[in-house]
Amino acid sequence: MKNRVVVGGIIAVFAMISSIRVSAVDYWWTGNGNDGKWSTAANWATDDQGTPAEAAPKRSEKAALHFDVPAGGLEVTQDIEEGSGTATGIIISNLVVTSSSADPVTLKIVSANNGAGALEFCSPAKVTVASGVTCTLNVAPIYGVTANELKKDGAGTLAFDYVVRSPYNSRPITILEGRVAVLETSLDPRFNVKLAGTDPDNQPVFENRLDNGCYAHLGMAANGGNLQLNGTTMIVGDESERVTPQIDIPSVSDSGTLAFQNERVATIAESAPNYDLEF
């Protein structure tokens, strides 16, 4: 099956800068509270030596979070904050996920009330996921700060299973290494995707499993990258976006459709397979 690019859209990138001005702190997940809850202080340490934290990370802090995932995986629940009725807020400056397990493992961060809690990445922020590890975020970012830049590093996978509440805020996500995946159960993630690998033998991958998922922008730089569409239709461009002059389409490893809203110039990577173009 040939891939098909439908060209007919204009897109641009909006970047919103968070107003948060707090100092970063570091937390290490220990799980010593044995309940998997984000808000349990006993689950956290203040250094990699395991010094117990007095309290769990709060929304008033811009936290660098470290997880070492055990064999069998780890699930952390963004639980309901006492007296508020909403999930405990999370602000992340850096998220580092490693594992000493010889087998593939998954860290899953989930909201206790179906994604209605607040997940915020400060600007700039980075998620580093080690090889053999998948980090799945199943929470919703807070409204109004969804456009802070996020960089993905490390050879592992960062998977999104969440919703961006505002349809007109698109989070710029730059993939330096490894894989970023939007799951088929995700809701309207609205990313501005840039593949910016530096190693030609280890190109970054953006995997779309969400049929008719809409993304503000798609482009590549340096040594490019690779798209995996899984037979889906991936819509690039948004009715709210302004004109930009051109978009570079990276390689596509399997069948699927890239549908562009409004007219623009598209440049196909030399390594990409044959396309049917519709204007």
Side-chain angles (χ1 to χ4, degrees):
M1 172 182 175
K2 289 184 178 180
N3 292 291
R4 185 162 60 97
V5 173
V6 183
V7 180
I10 55 173
I11 55 181
V13 178
F14 284 97
M16 295 178 60
I17 301 176
S18 174
S19 60
I20 294 170
R21 297 290 185 269
V22 291
S23 299
V25 294
D26 286 82
Y27 289 90
W28 278 257
W29 177 268
T30 65
N32 290 337
N34 297 314
D35 60 3
K37 291 185 177 182
W38 188 277
S39 63
T40 300
N43 286 324
W44 298 96
T46 56
D47 54 38
D48 58 2
Q49 303 302 307
T51 303
E54 294 183 1
K58 302 294 186 182
R59 267 197 49 77
S60 59
E61 296 171 318
K62 185 172 66 174
L65 307 174
H66 303 259
F67 291 86
D68 189 65
V69 185
L74 174 64
E75 184 168 307
V76 178
T77 302
Q78 186 191 17
D79 46 315
I80 302 298
E81 196 168 337
E82 185 176 355
S84 70
T86 60
T88 305
I90 305 170
I91 301 178
I92 298 175
S93 62
N94 286 286
L95 176 61
V96 180
V97 187
T98 60
S99 178
S100 57
S101 173
D103 298 319
V105 294
T106 297
L107 165 67
K108 189 173 184 180
I109 300 177
V110 301
S111 175
N113 50 349
N114 298 319
L119 171 68
E120 180 179 340
F121 286 101
C122 296
S123 183
K126 179 181 281 188
V127 177
T128 303
V129 185
S131 178
V133 181
T134 296
C135 175
T136 299
L137 301 180
N138 186 15
V139 288
I142 189 171
Y143 174 85
V145 292
T146 56
N148 293 335
E149 182 184 12
L150 176 62
K151 292 185 177 181
K152 160 64 177 65
D153 208 349
T157 297
L158 175 62
F160 291 93
D161 189 14
Y162 73 172
V163 58
V164 170
R165 296 184 185 181
S166 170
Y168 303 117
N169 289 338
S170 297
R171 179 190 300 284
I173 182 167
T174 299
I175 309 173
L176 303 173
E177 188 180 12
R179 177 182 298 260
V180 169
V182 174
L183 304 184
E184 60 271 20
T185 49
S186 189
L187 297 173
D188 199 18
R190 301 277 172 167
F191 287 117
N192 159 13
V193 181
K194 183 178 181 181
L195 298 160
T198 57
D199 182 358
D201 297 322
N202 186 25
Q203 293 186 348
V205 176
F206 181 74
E207 179 182 358
N208 182 63
R209 305 182 197 173
L210 176 63
D211 200 28
N212 292 310
C214 184
Y215 304 89
H217 183 79
L218 171 65
M220 68 177 185
N223 287 294
N226 188 273
L227 284 178
Q228 186 173 337
L229 296 180
N230 300 290
T232 63
T233 294
M234 178 175 164
I235 301 171
V236 180
D238 184 293
E239 62 273 14
S240 70
E241 307 298 337
R242 300 178 183 272
V243 177
T244 52
Q246 108 174 21
I247 184 168
D248 296 317
I249 308 302
S251 303
V252 177
S253 61
D254 60 357
S255 62
T257 299
L258 288 175
F260 288 87
Q261 301 190 73
N262 300 321
E263 293 186 13
R264 60 172 304 113
V265 177
T267 303
I268 309 299
E270 292 181 1
S271 56
N274 294 329
Y275 285 86
D276 294 328
L277 297 179
E278 292 189 7
F279 299 90

